Amino acid sequence: MQSVVLVLLGVAGMAFGWFVYSRFIATRIYRLDPDFVTPAHEFNDGRDYVPTHRVVLWGHHFTSVAGAAPIVGPAIAVYWGWAPALAWVVLGTIFFAGVHDFGALWASNRHKGKSIGALSESVIGTRSRALYMIVVFLVLLMVNAVFGVVIANAFVNTPGAVFPAWAAIAVALVIGQLVHRRMNLVALGVIGVAVLYWTMWAGSAMPLTLPTEMFGLTPQANWILILFVYAAIASMLPVWMLLQPRDFINGMQLVVGLALLYGAVILVMPDISAPAFNSRVGESAPSIIPLLFVTVACGAVSGFHGIVASGTSSKQLDKETDARFVGYLGAVGEGSLALITIVAVSGVALAATPEAWHAIYDEFGKAGAGAFISGGARLIEQGWGIPELVSQTILATMVVLFAGTTMDSGVRLQRYIIQEWGEIYRLPWLKNGIAATLVAVACCLLLAFGAGGASGSGGMIIWPLFGSTNQILAGMTLLVISVMLLKLGRPVRYTLLPMIFVIAMSFAAACVTLVQFWRDGKWLLVALDLVVLATSLLVMLEAASAVRRFRRESAHGRAVAS
């Protein structure tokens, strides 16, 4: 089969999602109001609450939620065959991710920009807030600690990506100032992307590395420290100064990257070397059900997206009607990246024959972002004639910039949660932005170096929990949205059915991994897995109680009225 068939099927499905399904959800379910005063206008402080053009906000939201996950997850999941991965990415984008991300943004917008954890108190009850925020904080801790490792390893393995990754920050700072002065957005975007791609070419010819030992630490460990110092500073700057322009430029460069990859598929029309369903799955490999649905998270549905949508994006929404463009189209962008990842790691650009493909995918989890970079770079070279080394730098920089943007937003979101805890438990010092940021970074570094030693890779120890924890969080977010819709008297099946499916698959996956952790004697993971399962179960029981209470009150009100 030719890879162009996969592309056409996927693009057609996502086009239906954007042009038809998202419009139905916006008008009939969420019922967006163009006259609603958004939190960005109500609480405009020039720092966190800033009304933002929807294209710029889409760039922030998209690149913050993307990270490396829509590349790594599908690249690993193709182990079971390209057909299951493709089906979950396309259907997940249309009916799960788009509704989830869009809904979290809308719900937060309707509750003064509160995070999904904080607004669960308004929708479900007081006890749910504390429980919910435990899971949210754990997910953010894992994302920040691990993405620091991902970026550090990328800098060491692909030194050509170092210069463009840091140059992007300087470009963003300049563009942020110019956009703030109301200069033409389109022109600035074109110039910014052009400069960024020039730095990628320069980086491939000018690789940069750290000394093999500095301060008694390896280059990876030093990069992790540098990255968290940067993330702490970036998270405290006003969003218009660095976060928005950096994310906007990253979003635009992704559009260019996707155009290169999709264009190469059309120009070359390479065959698929991977099987539709892999019949050579090893005995030690996990079962496709339920593990497929937590391996491919970003690109299908992801709880982390709800944290970003309700944490930073909702505070920058200019008009409520922009929520569809930012939330649903952001999910479509992620799905598009996941789709081309499947093509890149399934085609002859990566492996010329089925046997060569099986040699790469001989065990579960072995292939990931590296397979995407290798296969994608060869595909771009075949289609556009761009040298493979330059193409590798382009794709590696894409991964690094996405992961770095996620770290920026992740640390900022951790600050918000810590500040919310300061309000809940009446600890004034925690409400201070600098103090909260230092606590957030300290937690990440404690995990990185406390659990991982001098390598700084401690986040990898609890990373096996991320898939199920992240998807449980997605189910909990859909639960909050469903309860909110029920109280508003609107149809809930469009959020409730996806919630039931996601919760069922992620709970099953968490139980499977719990058994494996127990057998391996990984007691920290056993304890954390049990905490996540218990906490999410309690939130769902609280939600069920809130629904019963609401129905009793509604029935009593109707009885009194009659």
Side-chain angles (χ1 to χ4, degrees), residues 136-158:
V136 172
F137 188 81
L138 184 59
V139 168
L140 287 172
L141 185 64
M142 284 190 278
V143 167
N144 291 334
V146 170
F147 276 26
V149 177
V150 169
I151 300 171
N153 289 342
F155 281 163
V156 172
N157 298 329
T158 313

Side-chain angles (χ1 to χ4, degrees), residues 63-64 66-69 72 142-166 169 208 210 219-231 246 250 369 373 395-411 455-457 460:
T63 55
S64 293
V72 176
M142 284 190 278
V143 167
N144 291 334
V146 170
F147 276 26
V149 177
V150 169
I151 300 171
N153 289 342
F155 281 163
V156 172
N157 298 329
T158 313
V162 174
F163 176 66
W166 292 104
I169 298 171
L208 300 175
L210 290 179
Q220 288 94 334
N222 278 305
W223 276 127
I224 290 170
L225 287 173
I226 293 169
L227 287 165
F228 273 108
V229 170
Y230 158 74
R246 172 176 170 150
N250 286 350
I373 292 172
L395 296 181
T397 303
M398 182 189 297
V399 173
V400 167
L401 290 179
F402 279 173
T405 298
T406 302
M407 273 189 72
D408 290 2
S409 298
V411 172
S455 68
S457 60
M460 292 298 184

Side-chain angles (χ1 to χ4, degrees), residues 47-48 133 137 140-141 144 228 231-233 235-236 408-423 427-445:
R47 182 180 178 184
D48 296 321
M133 290 173 71
F137 188 81
L140 287 172
L141 185 64
N144 291 334
F228 273 108
I233 296 171
S235 70
M236 290 186 288
D408 290 2
S409 298
V411 172
R412 186 180 291 263
L413 289 164
Q414 274 189 295
R415 166 166 67 84
Y416 291 161
I417 288 178
I418 292 169
Q419 288 178 303
E420 286 178 0
W421 278 337
E423 293 178 3
L427 299 172
W429 66 276
L430 270 186
K431 291 190 283 185
N432 179 272
I434 296 176
T437 300
L438 291 176
V439 171
V441 171
C443 289
C444 294
L445 291 176

